[in-house]
Amino acid sequence: MAQKIVAGNWKMNLESDEAFQLIDELNTELEESDVRVIVFPPSLYVLPLSKMNKGSYEVGVQNFYTAESGAYTGEIAIDQIKSVGGSIGLIGHSERREYFNETNAFLKEKVDVAIEKDFDFIFCCGEPLEIRESGKQADFVKLQLEESLFHLNAKQMEDVIIAYEPIWAIGTGVTATAEQAEMMHKDIRSWVADKFGQETADKVTILYGGSCKPGNAEELFSCANIDGGLIGGASLKSTDFSAIIKAF
Ligand code: 13P
């Protein structure tokens, strides 16, 4: 069975007092549930947020580097993240691919390091608008998975969490319809099944991201192949984020 996950990607938002206030509110509002809840704050806040954690969420990082340690100014390593309470990282968010030139080949290296270090990750994929308009979105997303994930073995693959985030839906207020999202999620699961077998494919968690809000979360999460969401803007308001979690 795939996990149920709702994760909040705060991106480069919130100053420390605002971040602490949001976490205080989440500590009050989140209830025990079978949904795995993760927040991805700017990495500066991972340590204090881990210390403030009352147990209803995990704290992750939006980015990490592939090297173990050393002369890599500005970068952070998995062991450092673990040492401050971070338990999971995003890999390949479209904003990192676009603004920081992260390629499928480089993301494959991140995947390998995360697995070697036993560090959970959410692998992000998704097509830009022009690819969607040309109807080639399935080929585009399949290549992202093939080039960064499909070298794994079935045992490694079954723990992978994938987030499908169509770029045209990120921060635009234009959500993929439940039908469009489910179609891609179903394709992703079938490519994983073709490569690794159905049993593995059924265990892979596939999240949707892109203008997911309290008003559309329930419809998205009720789709057979949508196992949760990676939430941007709506994760910055505790009431919206908790309403999305409750949508399960
Ligand atoms: P929005 O929910 O703001 O569209 O962002 C989605 C996203 O990029 C999460 O990683």
Side-chain angles (χ1 to χ4, degrees), residues 95-209:
E95 289 148 18
R96 298 235 34 108
R97 293 175 185 263
E98 184 178 351
Y99 305 132
F100 303 98
N101 303 318
E102 294 194 357
T103 61
N104 290 348
F106 177 57
L107 299 174
K108 175 180 184 229
E109 287 178 40
K110 288 198 181 192
V111 165
D112 287 340
V113 172
I115 288 180
E116 187 192 313
K117 292 277 179 190
D118 200 17
F119 185 63
D120 286 359
F121 62 89
I122 298 180
F123 181 85
C124 306
C125 58
E127 79 286 355
L129 183 62
E130 63 273 19
I131 296 287
R132 168 67 59 166
E133 285 175 344
S134 71
K136 297 206 167 75
Q137 64 272 13
D139 291 344
F140 186 91
V141 171
K142 191 175 184 200
L143 191 68
Q144 290 181 321
L145 303 182
E146 282 174 345
E147 293 193 343
S148 303
L149 287 178
F150 278 16
H151 62 291
L152 299 178
N153 63 42
K155 185 86 200 96
Q156 292 167 330
M157 189 66 202
E158 69 184 34
D159 293 328
V160 170
I161 304 162
I162 295 170
Y164 169 59
E165 302 201 300
I167 298 172
W168 46 273
I170 295 179
T172 57
V174 182
T175 326
T177 61
E179 203 180 4
Q180 285 172 319
E182 170 61 12
M183 195 181 289
M184 181 63 81
H185 282 230
K186 197 170 169 213
D187 278 348
I188 292 173
R189 207 178 298 283
S190 75
W191 301 325
V192 174
D194 290 346
K195 172 81 185 161
F196 301 95
Q198 191 61 48
E199 208 178 309
T200 302
D202 289 340
K203 289 183 183 154
V204 168
T205 299
I206 312 174
L207 311 179
Y208 170 78

